[in-house]
Amino acid sequence: MLNKVILIGRLTRDPELRYTSQGTAVCNFALAVERDYKNSNGERDVDFIDVTVWRKQAETCANHLGKGRLVAVEGRMQIDTWKDDNGTNRKSPKVVARDVSFLDWPNDKQGNSGNNNQKKEEIDVPF
């Protein structure tokens, strides 16, 4: 049997980092992922997918990711089941990440990306 999910999308909100009672880090965020086809209006529909990351990688995501960042997530699908206040069974799908890859660079305070595409000052060097 195989349960493997690979997604590329942008975070819809800043990650939320928590710790279990045993001290294990867990980070939650949601990804906006475009579908690979266009609808009748010529636009791509978007799915919003909840992602959970555990342990050291959870702390790394919480410390370095933010709303709008582009990431690739590889993991497994999990369906959480619970009863709501009315006693109705509810299900909620999410991806439990095994690996999160950062696909872009964060913006610094001046609005320049951190990928060294900043303007370089030219100076005259006498020969």
Side-chain angles (χ1 to χ4, degrees):
M1 307 238 184
L2 180 65
N3 181 352
K4 185 170 187 173
V5 175
I6 300 173
L7 302 168
I8 296 177
R10 294 198 179 273
L11 274 72
T12 63
R13 56 184 159 81
D14 289 338
E16 298 171 4
L17 179 64
R18 295 177 293 116
Y19 291 88
T20 66
S21 57
Q22 293 81 23
T24 304
V26 58
C27 179
N28 293 301
F29 57 84
L31 283 184
V33 179
E34 287 185 344
R35 295 185 183 174
D36 61 351
Y37 59 88
K38 294 181 180 179
N39 61 22
S40 60
N41 296 329
E43 300 170 343
R44 293 188 189 272
D45 289 328
V46 177
D47 293 305
F48 300 95
I49 301 167
D50 291 328
V51 178
T52 300
V53 187
W54 289 90
R55 297 176 183 78
K56 179 67 176 163
Q57 191 162 208
E59 294 175 325
T60 301
C61 288
N63 291 329
H64 298 288
L65 291 177
K67 181 179 178 179
R69 292 288 306 276
L70 183 66
V71 298
V73 173
E74 184 270 321
R76 63 180 170 82
M77 179 65 67
Q78 178 174 309
I79 309 296
D80 292 337
T81 305
W82 75 94
K83 289 187 186 253
D84 66 13
D85 293 339
N86 299 327
T88 305
N89 287 332
R90 298 288 184 178
K91 294 183 179 183
S92 177
K94 70 177 176 184
V95 172
V96 178
R98 190 176 69 96
D99 185 52
V100 178
S101 299
F102 302 178
L103 300 180
D104 65 0
W105 294 93
N107 290 335
D108 64 18
K109 292 178 183 171
Q110 289 79 29
N112 297 319
S113 63
N115 60 4
N116 294 328
N117 285 340
Q118 301 172 7
K119 288 185 179 179
K120 294 183 179 164
E121 181 180 336
E122 293 184 12
I123 57 171
D124 291 325
V125 179
F127 290 97

